[in-house]
Amino acid sequence: FEECGNGWLGGGLRNRNSTVAVVASVFARNNAVRGAAIHSASGTVAIVGCLVVDNANPVTDPSRLADAMGGAISGYYANVSVSHCTVVNNTGSRYGAGIYAIGGDVAVANSVVWGNRSVEGGDTDNVFDAGYGTFAVTHTLAGRSAPYP
């Protein structure tokens, strides 16, 4: 899934109300307002052994900035699991440049989420949980956000 984009949800992959497994895949240089690489709404997505790199949600219109979440992966009242993945160098306009979730159950395990960056910066760069569900991160290296360009 490289250099894809649909403008709004899930530039590389969009899931809604379905169960999807993505295994040993690369998501690179995709773009969308939410989930530039992968977006799941009210469904289940398992991401295993994947590289998620250089994806972006470059929103410059101030009226749409509030919608720009999840530079790489976003979950909206969805069950999302990320396992044995590398999520690096993704850019978000607001929160969760690496992984963003609101609602649903999210589990990140045995992965690297590193060097992602957003306009908001700080702790929201790599992994951001907006609440209304469970969010578990185990045996994962997350941090070292790069400055926003």
Side-chain angles (χ1 to χ4, degrees):
F1 302 89
E2 295 185 40
E3 298 181 2
C4 303
N6 72 4
W8 183 239
L9 301 171
L13 173 71
R14 180 179 179 198
N15 175 43
R16 183 173 177 168
N17 297 324
S18 296
T19 298
V20 176
V22 181
V23 180
S25 298
V26 175
F27 289 82
R29 298 175 306 281
N30 299 294
N31 65 77
V33 173
R34 283 199 178 173
I38 300 167
H39 176 78
S40 185
S42 303
T44 299
V45 63
I47 306 161
V48 181
C50 292
L51 172 62
V52 183
V53 61
D54 295 330
N55 298 283
N57 61 3
V59 175
T60 55
D61 179 353
S63 69
R64 295 200 61 196
L65 186 59
D67 295 321
M69 314 289 185
I73 300 168
S74 71
Y76 181 79
Y77 293 91
N79 298 316
V80 178
S81 66
V82 178
S83 177
H84 298 92
C85 292
T86 301
V87 181
V88 296
N89 202 39
N90 298 287
T91 304
S93 296
R94 196 149 185 229
Y95 301 122
I99 301 170
Y100 170 85
I102 184 168
D105 296 321
V106 177
V108 182
N110 304 307
S111 296
V112 174
V113 184
W114 197 269
N116 300 289
R117 59 200 177 282
S118 65
V119 172
E120 296 291 324
D123 294 335
T124 67
D125 281 345
N126 287 294
V127 178
F128 184 79
D129 174 22
Y132 309 106
T134 62
F135 203 107
V137 179
T138 58
H139 305 289
T140 293
L141 182 60
R144 285 284 190 197
S145 301
Y148 190 79

